[in-house]
Amino acid sequence: MEHTNPCSRRPASETLTVPTVFIVEPDASIRERLTGLVESAGWHSAVAASAEEFLDRPRVVAASCLVVEQHLPCMSGLELQRLVADRREMPVIVTSRLADIRTTVKAMKAGAFEFLEKPVAEAALLRSIKLAIKQACDELDEVVRIRELERRWLTLSSREREVMRLIVTGRLNKEVGADLYISEITVKAHRGSVMRKMRARSFAQLIGMGADLSSATPPLQLQ
């Protein structure tokens, strides 16, 4: 069964490649079965028998998801999940043959995209992977959008940045002028330049851009 690539026909360059499904599974026969299932659906697969083997791989920022067995030798699947929690481009699907409510709750609270009890129905696993990859693509698109806003911010002069910092907090032109010891007319001129360089179609959109930049990781200090 082939699934439509949710990252196809997207403008963000980071999301144009075929997504990868990482499989961390100690059972060789299950690894082989999952690899065939994933690749028949049109995705790339990459397997590891342990968390340590997976972590030895260089990180590639691209749309992906991780299917990991909870019961692994040495490091557990939940421990691996915690270590990769910052990889927004790689949602985690935890599987377990010995699932219990406590483990399931811990996985979901730690940010697991899904927790599936073995034996997992192929249709259910493929559906979860497809939704996880869609989330990964959306996350990467957001990263690219914020990166573009940061690029525009860097085109502003130091004075324009000062003006933007103040106007996105809702301060009036005359208040900005008083804070910066410049005339209101000068503030208006800088404000117009900021709107053009940031490509904001409205003042409300510029405020939204300021909020996005302030909440980015790491944030730009607009406040």
Side-chain angles (χ1 to χ4, degrees), residues 5-173:
N5 177 4
C7 292
S8 63
R9 298 182 298 278
R10 286 171 175 258
S13 60
E14 282 85 349
T15 60
L16 292 179
T17 57
V18 176
T20 296
V21 178
F22 294 100
I23 300 165
V24 182
E25 167 62 56
D27 188 311
S29 62
I30 296 178
R31 287 201 304 272
E32 184 177 354
R33 181 173 64 84
L34 292 181
T35 296
L37 182 65
V38 164
E39 294 186 352
S40 69
W43 300 305
H44 291 317
S45 67
V47 301
S50 67
E52 292 79 6
E53 183 182 346
F54 171 78
L55 292 172
D56 282 341
R57 294 175 176 273
R59 178 177 177 178
V60 177
V61 180
S64 61
C65 79
L66 170 62
V67 179
V68 57
E69 162 60 35
Q70 154 60 5
H71 298 281
L72 296 172
C74 300
M75 185 187 301
S76 72
L78 292 185
E79 289 174 313
L80 174 58
Q81 179 192 347
R82 285 193 290 270
L83 289 176
V84 300
D86 65 319
R87 302 192 190 186
R88 295 168 54 188
E89 76 285 356
M90 188 182 68
V92 179
I93 298 172
V94 181
T95 66
S96 178
R97 191 177 300 278
L98 302 172
D100 57 65
I101 294 177
R102 183 180 179 183
T103 302
T104 303
V105 170
K106 285 178 64 176
M108 300 308 290
K109 283 187 173 180
F113 181 82
E114 184 65 275
F115 191 103
L116 299 173
E117 186 173 0
K118 289 179 176 177
V120 182
E122 291 186 355
L125 180 58
L126 288 173
R127 181 168 58 251
S128 293
I129 292 174
K130 182 178 181 180
L131 292 174
I133 288 175
K134 181 182 184 303
Q135 176 176 297
C137 291
D138 291 343
E139 292 283 2
L140 280 175
D141 281 351
E142 179 65 7
V143 168
V144 172
R145 187 182 71 84
I146 295 299
R147 187 176 298 162
E148 172 60 19
L149 289 181
E150 292 172 344
R151 187 195 65 77
R152 296 175 192 176
W153 165 262
L154 292 174
T155 68
L156 302 181
S157 68
S158 59
R159 178 62 83 186
E160 288 167 347
R161 292 178 190 174
E162 290 175 331
V163 170
M164 180 173 170
R165 286 190 186 100
L166 293 171
I167 63 176
V168 297
T169 64
R171 296 181 69 76
L172 300 175
N173 290 338

